[in-house]
Each structure stands twice: as structure tokens, then as C-alpha cells.
């Protein structure tokens, strides 16, 4: 037999909690000394207490969990807890991503407040491009979803231009607008006048010549960083008498290394303001 204090320590709950479970008739002590009122518990009561705590962790109220205590077998309870574990892990991952986004937005605001601009903004004339491309389906609602969607397409294009048809420039990402106004990223590579390479989903894409405000970015493949740089390019364009024209193009100068660092040339199409 264990005192209520020892039983509380063994089970990982408080003495107050054990008294409450007794009060609501969920877990009575094995014995009560009539002269002192001291409560004693047996080791065999631990499984029932573990079930109570586990069902509470699943979000059930004491009223809801009461009928399950005696009818739910260990296998079913384990399955419920594993599903709850997976749900909590997913939630934690989302919260970590949200925290990272908040931190990056703060850094972007700090850059704006300090007047910091992207280094070496260069005005370029980009000629007409005939590219082999893969339209990534389905479209995405957020830029955060772009890397996972385009990565397989970029690998397929890389393999496709390793045969008779060769790349005439770096792989890049172009953006179109889907039927529901969602982002429709397109993985592409310049092939010039060469035959379109064979491959599942590979289509011809012809992009017009553009004037672009460009800068080189080195860092993680993360739109929460890249996006604000495009915003800074737009500010640069406005201050120099240009208006943005269409979505940017992300040229992959160097793919992500083992540390996740890549090198991009970011191109924002612009036109002179009339």
C-alpha cells in the first residue's frame, strides 16, 4: 500500500488531483483510516489512473471519459493517444513555422525602417526566352508551399536537359495565375532553338523580353525572406521611375547545398513610367 503522497509521486499527478478524483467518484482510495482519514492506494490502481490522465489529455471532460474507463481496451486507447500525438506534433510544427515567419517579418520591417536596400540592384534587359517547362499542379495559396511543389519538377527538368537537348541558362521559376487566382508556379529552363526534350508534363514556354530590376540573393529557400526582397526591388523601381510589370522570375544560380543555402538572381519585370 502507498500513502496518497507516495502514490501521487509514482503516478505523476498531484495529491490535490487524487483527492478530486475521489470526490467525483473516478478513483477511490484502496483504504481510508477511519481514525486519521489517511488515504492509501495500491499499485494495481495505477492503470486506471493512467487511463484517466490519458483520456483527459485527449481533451475529454471527466463526464465524457467516465463511461470509457472500463470499456476501452489498451490497444484502442494507445491508438487514440498516438493520433493525438501526431496531431500535437503537426500543431507544434505549424507554430514553429509561424514563429519563424513572425521573426522574418520583423527583420523585413527593420530593413524597411533602416532604409536598407538589396545590394547591387542592376537594371537588365532580359531577351525573349524559349523554355522547356513543367507547370506545377495543383496551384498553391501561399508562397510557403512553392518549394515543395516545384522541387520535383526542377529535378525532372534537370534530367531532361542532360540528354541531347542542353540547358542554355539556369533553371528558374516563373509564376502564372491559376483559374482560382491561386499561384501557379512553373519550373523552367531556357533551351533556345533546340528540340523540346521528352519527359512527362514538359511543355514549351515562350516568355517575352523584359526589362528587369535584378539582385543576387544567397540564403535559404524561403519566401518570407525572398518576398520582402522583391518588395524592396519594387521600391527601388518606384524611386527610379519604373512600375512593376508581372510576377518575378527566380533564376537558380546555385541549388541548395547541405546547409540549405542557395544562390538566386531575382528578376522583377518593370517598365518606364510614362
Amino acid at each position: 500500500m502507498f500513502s496518497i503522497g507516495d502514490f501521487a509521486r509514482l503516478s505523476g499527478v498531484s495529491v490535490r488531483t487524487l483527492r478530486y478524483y475521489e470526490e467525483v467518484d473516478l478513483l477511490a482510495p484502496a483504504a481510508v483510516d477511519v481514525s486519521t482519514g489517511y488515504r492509501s492506494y495500491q499499485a494495481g490502481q495505477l492503470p486506471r489512473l493512467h487511463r484517466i490522465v490519458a483520456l483527459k489529455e485527449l481533451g475529454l471532460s471527466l463526464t465524457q471519459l467516465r463511461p470509457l474507463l472500463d470499456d476501452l481496451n489498451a490497444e484502442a486507447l494507445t491508438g487514440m493517444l498516438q493520433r493525438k500525438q501526431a496531431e500535437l506534433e503537426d500543431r507544434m510544427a505549424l507554430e514553429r513555422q509561424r514563429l519563424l515567419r513572425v521573426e522574418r517579418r520583423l527583420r523585413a520591417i527593420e530593413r524597411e525602417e533602416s532604409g536598407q536596400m538589396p545590394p547591387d540592384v542592376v537594371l537588365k534587359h532580359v531577351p525573349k526566352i524559349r523554355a522547356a517547362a513543367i507547370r506545377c499542379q495543383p496551384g498553391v495559396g501561399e508562397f510557403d508551399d512553392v518549394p515543395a511543389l516545384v522541387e520535383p519538377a526542377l529535378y525532372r527538368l534537370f534530367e531532361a536537359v542532360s540528354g541531347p537537348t542542353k540547358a542554355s541558362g539556369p533553371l528558374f521559376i516563373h509564376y502564372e495565375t491559376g483559374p482560382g487566382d491561386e499561384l501557379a508556379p512553373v519550373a523552367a529552363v531556357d533551351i533556345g532553338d533546340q528540340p523540346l526534350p521528352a519527359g512527362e508534363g514538359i511543355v514549351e514556354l515562350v516568355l517575352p523580353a523584359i526589362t528587369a530590376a535584378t539582385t543576387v540573393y544567397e540564403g535559404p529557400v524561403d519566401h518570407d525572406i525572398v518576398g520582402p526582397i522583391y518588395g524592396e526591388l519594387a521600391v527601388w523601381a518606384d524611386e527610379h521611375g519604373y512600375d512593376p510589370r508581372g510576377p518575378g522570375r527566380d533564376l537558380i544560380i546555385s541549388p541548395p547545398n547541405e546547409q540549405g543555402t542557395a544562390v538566386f538572381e531575382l528578376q522583377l519585370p518593370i517598365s518606364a513610367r510614362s
Side-chain angles (χ1 to χ4, degrees), residues 243-265:
D243 290 320
R245 287 287 182 266
R249 299 179 190 175
D250 307 339
L251 271 66
I252 305 171
I253 306 302
S254 178
N257 57 24
E258 292 181 355
Q259 288 73 43
T261 298
V263 180
F264 290 87
E265 180 178 280

Side-chain angles (χ1 to χ4, degrees), residues 7-88:
F7 191 71
R9 285 189 290 274
L10 282 172
S11 60
V13 302
S14 68
V15 169
R16 181 179 179 182
T17 297
L18 288 175
R19 292 189 183 279
Y20 179 67
Y21 288 165
E22 178 187 0
E23 181 183 331
V24 297
D25 198 27
L26 278 178
L27 183 69
V32 179
D33 189 305
V34 293
S35 59
T36 63
Y38 288 165
R39 272 108 171 115
S40 300
Y41 292 82
Q42 295 176 334
Q45 293 179 281
L46 283 170
R48 181 176 179 86
L49 179 56
H50 290 158
R51 284 171 176 262
I52 294 171
V53 174
L55 290 168
K56 281 197 65 183
E57 292 293 339
L58 289 171
L60 299 179
S61 68
L62 296 182
T63 301
Q64 292 170 323
L65 68 83
R66 188 188 305 275
L68 298 175
L69 280 176
D70 298 317
D71 298 334
L72 196 64
N73 62 40
E75 182 180 357
L77 182 56
T78 298
M80 293 170 67
L81 287 171
Q82 288 173 338
R83 288 191 291 274
K84 186 66 173 181
Q85 180 184 32
E87 175 189 325
L88 291 172

